[in-house]
Structures are given as C-alpha cells and as structure tokens.
Amino acid sequence: MVITDIENALCERLRQGMGRMVRSVASYGGEMDGEPAEIIRQLPGIWVTFGGVQKTERTSTARNKFLTHGRFVVIVGDRNVRNEAASRTGGPNKDEVGTYRLVAAVRRLLSGQDMGLKIDHFVPGKVRTLFNTQLEHEAFSVFACEFDTKWVEHALENGQFPLTNAPAGHEDNLFVPYLGTTSEDDPEWLSTRLSYALKPGDDKPDAEDIIQHAVKNS
C-alpha cells in the first residue's frame, strides 16, 4: 500500500540520516498519550505517522485516475535536566540536541525527497508545538513537523470488483486473503483488424490488415 510504503521509507531515511541524535525512529503508536514521566524516558526520539488525505482530484477524462494529496507528520522530542528552554535550544554537549535542532534536521533530510517511490517530492509544511513541559527535575519539548506529497490512485472500472488472484505488488492484492467478490481480468488483446474502404458504393471493405499482438507469458 502507498501509505505504508511512504511511512516505512520516511522512517528508514530518518534512521540513516539522524544517526545518534535520537534514541530511535519509529512509526507512531500513541507514545505521546502516556504520562509525562513515560514520555521523557523515550526522548530524544522521532515518530512518523500518516496525517490524512488532504484532497483528491480527478486527473483524467476516463474517470479512473485520481491525484491524492497526502500529509505525513514527523514528531520530534527531547528532554533536558536544566530547564524547559534548554530542551528546545539544546546545550553545549552533543547529547543536548534540543528540539529546534531536531526540527531543522528532519526538514533538511525530508524536504524535496521522494525516497525512490512513485510520489511527488515532499513539501515541508507547518511545525506545531505539542508539549513544552517542566517537571520537577526534567523538562521536555515535543514538536510535530508536517510534510505533504501527492501520488496517483487508480479507481476500479464502474461496476467491477478487485482483480481475481491479483499478484503480489498489485493494488488489489490486499483483498486476496479476505475472499471478497472479485472480477476476472479482461481477456488478452490478441489481434487488431483494420478495414479500408477504398471504393465508395458499398459497406464491404476493399482491403484488410490483421495485426497479431504478442501473448504475455504467464
């Protein structure tokens, strides 16, 4: 699936590019919903999640091709034992990165990238504050960085169901294990007949060409 492929690719690029700036890079799984003490134990860290489809628009007169505008969110967080400001700005030691540096690093690594996928290059968007919190002995700061991209989705023909026995990699393959209704693929186009009317006066062709098409190997 496109969304899964993009999220995995974002995580992998950030793991490679961020190096030891963070403890880990992972798909978001509700880590920011825990208690503050639990959140702090995971910092500095980065999480990636799908932010939703922002818009879908038709791209062809055939009515089966759509340009999908998607948003992905990269959450960055860091902590500091000194104060809340230091959790954002960092400090003199290399392990005091600060969320401002993490935001800059993430935008530098992802802006203008497509990670080798069939998507438009990522455009950086808003950066939002999620937390700026001071606890008894530690402070932490968390920001959400938005990135937008686009990709093409193909709709089923009107009245058709997903392809029967769709092979791995095909967009209908996700239906295969669930035994829903499917449609057989269109028959192979084996030949084309071209008829020429050279002499007016009747409906019979005066000449014909038959073009044989190569048969795909199964």
Side-chain angles (χ1 to χ4, degrees), residues 12 24 42 46 59 72-73 116 124 127 137 141 154 169 171 173 180 183:
E12 183 57 29
S24 65
Q42 304 173 77
I46 290 179
T59 64
F72 289 79
V73 181
V127 177
H137 305 293
S141 170
H154 295 86
E171 51 202 333
N173 181 258
S183 296

Side-chain angles (χ1 to χ4, degrees), residues 43-186:
L43 303 179
I46 290 179
W47 295 268
V48 179
T49 188
F50 178 51
V53 170
Q54 307 303 305
K55 182 174 67 172
T56 303
E57 53 192 352
R58 187 176 290 130
T59 64
S60 76
T61 56
R63 298 176 178 266
N64 65 346
K65 227 169 139 181
F66 296 90
L67 187 62
T68 302
H69 299 248
R71 177 167 295 164
F72 289 79
V73 181
V74 179
I75 299 169
V76 305
D78 198 11
R79 62 179 181 175
N80 198 287
V81 296
R82 289 187 284 122
N83 52 54
E84 183 269 331
S87 72
R88 289 181 283 112
T89 60
N93 300 319
K94 71 176 183 178
D95 58 347
E96 294 182 288
V97 180
T99 46
Y100 288 170
R101 288 177 185 162
L102 292 178
V103 167
V106 166
R107 286 167 67 90
R108 176 67 171 164
L109 286 169
L110 299 185
S111 298
Q113 303 298 313
D114 65 7
M115 284 89 65
L117 302 174
K118 292 181 179 179
I119 60 173
D120 197 33
H121 296 161
F122 270 106
V123 176
K126 293 180 181 179
V127 177
R128 297 178 285 109
T129 301
L130 296 184
F131 297 102
N132 276 324
T133 305
Q134 174 74 53
L135 298 180
E136 289 184 9
H137 305 293
E138 242 173 336
F140 71 99
S141 170
V142 180
F143 286 86
C145 308
E146 296 179 353
F147 294 88
D148 289 346
T149 185
K150 296 177 284 189
W151 63 89
V152 174
E153 291 184 348
H154 295 86
L156 291 167
E157 293 293 334
N158 186 28
Q160 292 290 97
F161 285 93
L163 182 66
T164 302
N165 297 323
H170 191 283
E171 51 202 333
D172 287 345
N173 181 258
L174 69 94
F175 297 95
V176 171
Y178 302 104
L179 305 178
T181 300
T182 59
S183 296
E184 293 292 336
D185 198 1
D186 293 332

